[in-house]
Amino acid sequence: MKFLFPAVLLFIFFNLQGVFADTTSSEYTKALMEIQNKNYDGAISLLTRYLTLYTKSKEGFFQRGNAYYEKGDYNSAILDYETASELEYENPELYYKLGLAYLKRKDYQGSISAQKIAIWINPDYAEAYSELGDLYTQVKNYRRAQDYYRIAIDLEQNMPHVWLKLGETSLALNETGEAIAYYKKAVELKPNDINYYYSAGLAFYIVKDTVNALNFLNKTIELDKNFAEGYYTLARVYSDLKNYSSSIYNYSKAIEVEKSGLSPSVLYTERAIVNKKYGDYANAMNDLDFAISVNSDDTLAYLTRGKIFLEANNDSLAYEDFRIALELDSANPTGLTYMGMLYLSRGQNDSATMRLKRAVELAPKDANTLYAMGNLYFNQEKYQDAIRYYDKALSADKDFIAVYENRGIAYYNLKFFRQAASDFENAMKYNPALSDKLKPFYLDAKAKGGL
């Protein structure tokens, strides 16, 4: 009997080991269900117990890596994916997911390498080609990105998100015709998805293709009358087209949408800017007052209201709004420009010079800022310097017609009569109200210039 006891123990031990193995194996199945149910902590706990017994389980490390990835613990995910790789788990999805995890850590080269291994294992893995396209898009290698997107499409035609990305890269390469075709294919595959129409419309708006922008954006409104982003972007397109009534209408529609997620102060401020351009100063002021009431840090609202006060010759209120705007953003070139103009009108040349020079540093291609700097030198009778900045203003904006009057006077005072006559003629052409003031100088300049 003394030998029976150890034998019984051995029997019990081996049978318990089998029970333990069966229990752990069932935990693996439960873990997969927990991943499906998005209970990632539960899945990780079950898989960790499973891996204490099955230490070489390639699939176990892969699945725990997936749970970590979905949880947002990308470092732990990468460790598990790399362990599965070291165990020679030749599954293309492993490397696809490893590439995504590397990307979360902004390791672009690691991500590219992982995706290339995925397509080496499975040359027909369309999603990996698509991801490589995304990676090259992020580093602005659009031609290389297109190559990968096209391979993905060749493998799987029904991938609307890839057609959309082909459209985006084509626009980045100024291939507008191809972009239109790709966007149309994307929306053909997902005809009721607002986001596809909106992405296309927004992209065309960015590259100033307003016809296609309007076509795609209007489709978003047809699909959903409460799509605030569609109204908002349409408002901006119409504003650029100087169709101010349509712009105001679409801003108003965006404002009417409850819980749109769009900033009320931005909507009201931008609608105010369009109302101002439309000549409706009363509604512009109402919008600005409301924008400031809901967001006292709305720099653009103060700047816009200050401009309206300035145009109404209410310099004290304009000064106060520009002062507040600069308190909110001391490096705002528009605020510095208008504050400089106010100081210039008061004869405070040192204060004007300091602000205008800083504005030019911050916005060297802003026509209004360059014009204001030209006026500073004009007031100091430094006419050559004034002309230099007036020329820069016109180079920045060929339609900045305010330049012609003062540049003509500067040329006249320097006795460059032919140039002066040309500027006076343009000034009166664009603003007939200047005729009484400038016509005597114009006729005199023509006579002295032998014209």
Side-chain angles (χ1 to χ4, degrees), residues 144-358:
R144 190 74 178 275
Q146 280 192 332
D147 292 340
Y148 283 112
Y149 288 142
R150 287 190 177 115
I151 295 171
I153 288 297
D154 288 341
L155 292 167
E156 176 55 68
Q157 289 279 309
N158 191 21
M159 297 177 76
H161 64 286
V162 180
W163 288 104
L164 192 73
K165 290 168 183 175
L166 274 169
E168 291 169 353
T169 51
S170 294
L171 281 185
L173 293 166
N174 295 315
E175 297 169 349
T176 308
E178 290 86 344
I180 293 170
Y182 291 137
Y183 281 126
K184 285 183 176 178
K185 183 64 177 179
V187 297
E188 176 189 319
L189 291 169
K190 293 200 82 172
N192 296 316
D193 193 317
I194 289 175
N195 294 317
Y196 280 74
Y197 287 102
Y198 182 68
S199 294
L202 187 60
F204 283 117
Y205 170 56
I206 290 169
V207 299
K208 302 186 185 307
D209 183 346
T210 53
V211 173
N212 278 298
L214 289 172
N215 286 338
F216 282 102
L217 291 169
N218 276 310
K219 186 64 178 180
T220 67
I221 304 305
E222 289 177 26
L223 291 169
D224 183 355
K225 299 297 183 185
N226 292 312
F227 189 58
E229 290 90 343
Y231 289 118
Y232 173 68
T233 310
L234 278 167
R236 301 191 73 174
V237 175
Y238 281 122
S239 177
D240 289 350
L241 292 171
K242 296 182 170 52
N243 185 342
Y244 299 129
S245 59
S246 294
S247 179
I248 292 165
Y249 169 81
N250 279 284
Y251 274 122
S252 300
K253 295 295 289 184
I255 288 168
E256 288 173 10
V257 178
E258 294 182 4
K259 299 179 181 178
S260 68
L262 299 177
S263 167
S265 67
V266 170
L267 290 171
Y268 278 90
T269 297
E270 291 190 11
R271 188 174 70 174
I273 292 169
V274 179
N275 270 316
K276 177 178 178 292
K277 292 176 180 177
Y278 196 48
D280 188 347
Y281 290 94
N283 276 319
M285 289 298 283
N286 288 336
D287 279 350
L288 292 167
D289 289 343
F290 180 79
I292 290 168
S293 73
V294 297
N295 180 12
S296 59
D297 294 336
D298 190 338
T299 304
L300 183 58
Y302 287 109
L303 290 172
T304 306
R305 195 171 68 176
K307 291 177 192 177
I308 294 175
F309 283 135
L310 197 61
E311 290 178 20
N313 296 315
N314 194 333
D315 289 3
S316 59
L317 289 178
Y319 178 91
E320 185 62 18
D321 273 350
F322 294 139
R323 182 190 65 77
I324 295 171
L326 288 172
E327 279 186 0
L328 293 168
D329 180 8
S330 61
N332 186 287
T334 302
L336 289 165
T337 296
Y338 279 97
M339 190 64 92
M341 290 165 62
L342 279 171
Y343 280 124
L344 186 61
S345 68
R346 296 175 177 181
Q348 296 173 264
N349 286 340
D350 289 344
S351 295
T353 300
M354 181 177 70
R355 285 159 180 80
L356 289 174
K357 282 187 174 180
R358 178 61 176 150

Side-chain angles (χ1 to χ4, degrees), residues 70 76 104 112 211 222 229 318:
E70 297 300 335
S76 295
K104 294 293 185 179
I112 288 170
V211 173
E222 289 177 26
E229 290 90 343

Side-chain angles (χ1 to χ4, degrees), residues 418-442:
R418 287 174 177 264
Q419 293 93 324
S422 176
D423 273 1
F424 290 146
E425 186 174 357
N426 279 322
M428 292 185 290
K429 172 185 172 183
Y430 292 117
N431 186 0
L434 292 171
S435 295
D436 290 343
K437 175 183 177 182
L438 295 181
K439 195 164 187 179
F441 293 101
Y442 168 64

